Amino acid sequence: MSRKGFEVRLGYAMRSRSHRTVQEVSSGDVAGDGMTRQSPWVNLPPELLREVLVRIEASEEAWLERKHVVACAGVCRSWREIMKEIVKTPEKSGLLTFPISLKQPGPRDFLIQCFIKRNRVAQTYHLYLGLTQALTDNGKFLLAARKCRRPTCTDYLISLDADDMSKGSSTYIGKLRSNFLGTKFTVYDGQLHAGAVISKSRSSRLVSSKQVSPRVPTGNYPVAHVSYELNVLGSRGPRRMQCTMDTIPASAIEPGGVAPTYTEFPLSSFDSIPSIPFFRSKSSRTENSSGPLSGQKDELLMLKNKAPRWHEQLQCWCLNFRGRVTVASVKNFQLVASSENGQPGPEHEKVILQFGKVEKDLFTMDFGYPISAFQAFAICLSSFDTKIACE
């Protein structure tokens, strides 16, 4: 079977859908059915079709070719279901393919290299997947965030769409919120998932907007907390930060450990959503929380920034970013597992997330297991915020 012939027949799908996410054609009825009537590929025997799609998925290891996998998933419902079974999670493949990959843990053996572009005027931040080792490529767009100042806090709204970062959008996936001093941050997931504890706030509600699929619960589900300690040396010294991952157990970093993994965005109905009260008092959150950590004595994963060393010749604090960071900045950091998660071992020296400056408004962000791209992006956004008490 000719690969060229396959690409020609699928050309229409790639031209019309290459910029869209798979979730936008979740039903597949309108776009999908029109294509199935025109394409003889749908009539292939299931075994042969699966073999073709398996070979395509296995041969596309970089994003420029990886878009063929996404195009296959957008042909019709049967193709999409096969691709969802074939495509592995980033933890196993090290690849970001579908939008749901952004909420799944990264690979265990290496860090996925990304970069963030900051727009000071618009107060927006765009996350891109690096396509090459160079820091000058355009990258593949992943996520966008917009800074919103409030009287007592600051919100960073995170979206899958760079042109629509409103909370009422169907592409909204979460936010980062800081306190007034910029020393404590909470990462909220916009979708209900296993292990989520719903935060009591005005935004925790059922949205019945034309922009959002009906009966989709949107709200604030805390997944991480970030705190910065007071720096007695002011801006001359390195920051000290600590992250508490509310949905990841400390055992996840141990050999054989498992981190909770999304399988799909919850965009169907309440039938598939666990029964959880939408409003909880602070005391009942700990006692009645439901999820993978409830009923267990496992502790939450704690991350801390790796302590830099003072370089006498350069007269600055230094960390080994392996060439990924070129400009000294108080924002630069590397996160490792805290020693509070048990006896120090090799897993506590492994960098889970690193963030650093390379140009005035360009920063690198490299992340790996057990955190996701969404969690890593939100944590890095906290470094951009002004910290009155720390600087």
Side-chain angles (χ1 to χ4, degrees):
M1 184 175 294
S2 171
R3 173 67 178 278
K4 181 178 180 181
F6 178 83
E7 292 182 347
V8 170
R9 292 178 181 274
L10 197 60
Y12 171 77
M14 292 180 61
R15 286 194 299 271
S16 61
R17 283 182 167 80
S18 61
H19 66 288
R20 298 170 59 188
T21 61
V22 177
Q23 279 75 15
E24 293 178 15
V25 288
S26 57
S27 63
D29 295 332
V30 178
D33 290 348
M35 190 169 297
T36 57
R37 288 194 294 270
Q38 300 176 9
S39 176
W41 287 88
V42 178
N43 298 323
L44 284 176
E47 297 79 7
L48 180 58
L49 174 60
R50 184 180 181 86
E51 180 64 24
V52 171
L53 296 181
V54 166
R55 293 190 179 187
I56 293 176
E57 197 280 333
S59 64
E60 315 295 11
E61 297 182 352
W63 173 252
L64 291 179
E65 294 77 25
R66 198 73 183 164
K67 62 184 180 182
H68 298 159
V69 178
V70 178
C72 290
V75 171
C76 64
R77 181 174 299 177
S78 61
W79 284 46
R80 182 161 53 256
E81 292 303 319
I82 294 176
M83 295 309 298
K84 286 169 64 177
E85 295 177 7
I86 295 174
V87 174
K88 298 181 176 62
T89 63
E91 178 185 349
K92 298 179 179 179
S93 66
L95 301 173
L96 300 175
T97 306
F98 300 126
I100 191 60
S101 303
L102 301 175
K103 288 197 173 182
Q104 296 174 335
R108 291 177 179 262
D109 300 329
F110 62 93
L111 301 179
I112 294 181
Q113 297 183 343
C114 306
F115 59 90
I116 298 174
K117 289 184 178 180
R118 174 177 60 180
N119 187 321
R120 293 173 179 264
V121 177
Q123 293 191 320
T124 58
Y125 307 83
H126 291 176
L127 175 66
Y128 297 87
L129 174 66
L131 302 181
T132 65
Q133 293 294 328
L135 300 176
T136 56
D137 64 75
N138 293 326
K140 170 66 178 72
F141 171 79
L142 299 177
L143 292 170
R146 177 168 57 88
K147 185 177 182 178
C148 301
R149 294 185 181 274
R150 315 289 186 190
T152 59
C153 64
T154 301
D155 284 347
Y156 292 82
L157 304 182
I158 304 175
S159 172
L160 293 167
D161 189 349
D163 298 322
D164 188 357
M165 287 176 273
S166 62
K167 192 168 184 180
S169 169
S170 59
T171 57
Y172 167 81
I173 63 170
K175 72 177 181 181
L176 172 75
R177 168 166 289 185
S178 75
N179 63 355
F180 177 74
L181 297 177
T183 56
K184 296 184 183 298
F185 299 79
T186 303
V187 180
Y188 293 102
D189 197 320
Q191 284 84 28
L192 188 62
H193 61 92
V197 178
I198 301 173
S199 173
K200 182 177 181 180
S201 73
R202 291 175 298 176
S203 58
S204 295
R205 63 189 184 279
L206 298 185
V207 178
S208 58
S209 169
K210 294 181 180 179
Q211 294 179 299
V212 183
S213 300
R215 301 181 68 186
V216 176
T218 66
N220 296 331
Y221 313 119
V223 294
H225 288 80
V226 184
S227 62
Y228 290 81
E229 295 182 20
L230 178 64
N231 187 357
V232 295
L233 298 178
S235 59
R236 295 182 293 107
R239 292 173 176 173
R240 290 194 295 176
M241 61 185 296
Q242 180 172 285
C243 301
T244 303
M245 310 306 297
D246 294 355
T247 58
I248 304 178
S251 59
I253 62 172
E254 299 174 357
V258 178
T261 303
Y262 268 95
T263 55
E264 60 183 356
F265 286 108
L267 296 178
S268 53
S269 66
F270 288 126
D271 297 337
S272 60
I273 297 173
S275 177
I276 300 179
F278 269 80
F279 297 99
R280 270 204 190 113
S281 64
K282 185 175 181 180
S283 60
S284 64
R285 290 178 191 172
T286 304
E287 297 174 1
N288 302 324
S289 60
S290 62
L293 302 185
S294 61
Q296 300 180 13
K297 295 183 179 181
D298 204 350
E299 299 178 350
L300 300 178
L301 177 64
M302 306 283 289
L303 304 178
K304 67 174 183 177
N305 66 308
K306 194 172 184 179
R309 61 180 180 84
W310 177 256
H311 198 291
E312 288 293 343
Q313 294 180 340
L314 300 177
Q315 289 294 297
C316 65
W317 298 93
C318 296
L319 282 171
N320 184 10
F321 288 95
R322 302 186 183 280
R324 291 283 292 166
V325 177
T326 58
V327 179
S329 173
V330 71
K331 295 179 175 63
N332 301 349
F333 67 80
Q334 290 180 324
L335 290 185
V336 297
S338 173
S339 57
E340 296 181 15
N341 294 135
Q343 295 295 329
E347 63 272 10
H348 291 81
E349 295 296 324
K350 187 177 181 180
V351 174
I352 295 174
L353 169 64
Q354 69 176 23
F355 172 79
K357 191 173 185 178
V358 292
E359 292 180 11
K360 182 178 180 180
D361 293 307
L362 182 64
F363 303 79
T364 57
M365 186 199 88
D366 304 337
F367 75 97
Y369 179 88
I371 66 174
S372 65
F374 164 71
Q375 293 169 331
F377 185 43
I379 293 172
C380 291
L381 288 174
S382 71
S383 187
F384 287 109
D385 201 60
T386 303
K387 294 159 182 59
I388 301 175
C390 297
E391 300 175 357

